[in-house]
Amino acid sequence: MQFNELRRREFITLLGGAAAAWPLAARAQQPTMPVIGFLGAGSVDTWVLYVAAFRKGLNETGFVEGQNVAIEYRWAEGQYERMAELAADLVRRQVAVIAVPGNSPGARASKAATATIPIVFGVGDDPVKAGLVASIGRPGGNATGVNFFTSDVVAKRLALLHDLVPGAARVAALLNPNDATRAEAVLSDLQAAARIIGVQLQIYNASTSGEIDAAFAALVRERADALFIGPNPFFNTRRVQLATMAAHHSIPTASAVREYVDAGGLMSYGTNLADMFRQAGVYTGRILKGVKPADLPVLQSTKFELVINAQTARMLGLTLPDKLIAAADEVIE
């Protein structure tokens, strides 16, 4: 009797121990949540809209941040010299995918940092010339993404600015020398377009907030009639400063991104960047599901938006031509 009682107690003890271990075993068998490394050219407060669009794309493929996927954010805050360091940090973190939408320098740094971790980019220059992919249709390697052609529509943007300000003889162009590859391509396109339109270009460089202020002081001093803001992630993050300075000095301006017009700028012509971030989110989600970057052709933006701020035009004393009003995708009143 004592023996049976002892065996019964041992069995209950063993059963209780096993039951306690079951939740631990179940948790151990649950798959690890994948981690995306997100490398942004700007700062968290200036990229709220873009990050939301990226998450929307992830959601479309079944991924929700904090539920079945985690995102590690790294912000360069306009300091392109930090891209290599930040990309290397994400590689050491062994993230599942590195996402660098709207960030050409970050895409190049990520490509240099790893040949194995998948990379999803969003770039405005040629990804083949930049060495990111072998070809648009067959990327090869570990990178793919979206090409949104901001540099390819430079001539059209300059022409539209001249249509808005037909009396402009001297057009200033603001470029970021820290993004040298894109700046050189934009400058080449601008020079060719300026010769055709018949305007004189004045080139100014800026890669910090203080240099933007200095550039405005110089272009006002040299009597520029209008300002062309080069496509660049840093300038996107400084859109409020740029719009404020342009309004203060009564300078008509053109940008690549509609968010600049929302901030008070005169006009923009280019791809909808928020939608590009969404597309990058979709590609990131597909890669998390097992699709290889080499099998995902680079998406190419085909729709470009002309957005005009009518209130800013009135403040500048400009009359909007009927043909531009008709051509505009949106006129902000």
Side-chain angles (χ1 to χ4, degrees):
M1 187 70 177
Q2 290 180 347
F3 176 77
N4 288 338
E5 180 65 20
L6 179 61
R7 293 298 299 271
R8 189 176 71 83
R9 289 177 179 176
E10 288 175 352
F11 175 75
I12 291 173
T13 301
L14 288 171
L15 182 63
W22 287 339
L24 295 175
R27 285 195 294 270
Q29 291 173 2
Q30 290 179 354
T32 303
M33 187 183 295
V35 178
I36 299 167
F38 186 100
L39 178 50
S43 57
V44 62
D45 58 326
T46 57
W47 274 39
V48 172
L49 173 67
Y50 300 147
V51 171
F54 178 78
R55 290 181 181 135
K56 183 174 185 292
L58 279 176
N59 295 350
E60 290 175 20
T61 61
F63 289 97
V64 179
E65 183 180 7
Q67 293 185 18
N68 57 358
V69 69
I71 305 180
E72 289 267 349
Y73 296 95
R74 299 292 184 273
W75 300 102
E77 298 182 340
Q79 301 174 48
Y80 290 173
E81 66 276 10
R82 297 188 60 214
M83 291 297 182
E85 166 199 344
L86 296 173
D89 183 45
L90 291 174
V91 171
R92 284 192 298 270
R93 177 70 175 77
Q94 295 184 325
V95 296
V97 185
I98 297 177
V100 280
N103 183 0
S104 295
R108 293 191 292 270
S110 299
K111 183 68 174 175
T114 178
T116 55
I117 297 175
I119 298 167
V120 177
F121 57 73
V123 296
D125 40 3
D126 187 334
V128 177
K129 289 182 179 178
L132 297 174
V133 296
S135 70
I136 298 296
R138 295 179 177 273
N142 64 319
T144 187
V146 188
N147 184 209
F148 54 94
F149 294 125
T150 56
S151 297
D152 289 354
V153 295
V154 163
K156 178 70 172 177
R157 192 177 305 120
L158 181 62
L160 288 168
L161 176 60
H162 193 256
D163 287 344
L164 276 172
V165 194
R170 295 176 300 276
V171 177
L174 186 65
L175 304 175
N176 187 343
N178 285 354
D179 191 1
T181 301
R182 189 186 308 195
E184 290 169 5
V186 170
L187 179 57
S188 177
D189 292 342
L190 268 177
Q191 289 172 333
R195 285 192 293 270
I196 294 171
I197 295 172
V199 296
Q200 176 188 344
L201 279 182
Q202 300 171 338
I203 308 302
Y204 301 91
N205 292 315
S207 57
T208 67
S209 175
E211 289 175 352
I212 289 175
D213 289 341
F216 266 96
L219 67 89
V220 169
R221 185 171 59 250
E222 295 174 20
R223 299 175 181 269
D225 299 310
L227 172 63
F228 181 102
I229 301 171
N232 180 261
F234 171 67
F235 294 154
N236 296 351
T237 67
R238 304 305 305 170
R239 56 188 178 272
V240 173
Q241 177 189 6
L242 288 164
T244 301
M245 294 292 290
H248 177 72
H249 294 291
S250 299
I251 301 289
T253 53
S255 172
V257 295
R258 67 147 301 136
E259 289 79 14
Y260 173 72
V261 184
D262 291 334
L266 175 61
M267 65 148 285
S268 68
Y269 179 73
T271 302
N272 184 314
L273 279 188
D275 190 60
M276 181 276 295
F277 275 79
R278 182 195 63 80
Q279 291 176 313
V282 170
Y283 258 24
T284 301
R286 292 185 65 184
I287 289 173
L288 288 176
K289 288 187 170 183
V291 181
K292 295 180 180 179
D295 297 330
L296 291 172
V298 175
L299 297 173
Q300 294 182 290
S301 299
T302 57
K303 184 180 186 303
F304 303 99
E305 294 182 322
L306 171 60
V307 183
I308 301 172
N309 192 317
Q311 182 178 5
T312 300
R314 287 192 292 270
M315 289 174 57
L316 293 170
L318 299 175
T319 300
L320 297 180
D322 291 339
K323 69 173 185 177
L324 282 187
I325 294 176
D329 295 272
E330 184 177 353
V331 177
I332 297 175
E333 294 291 345

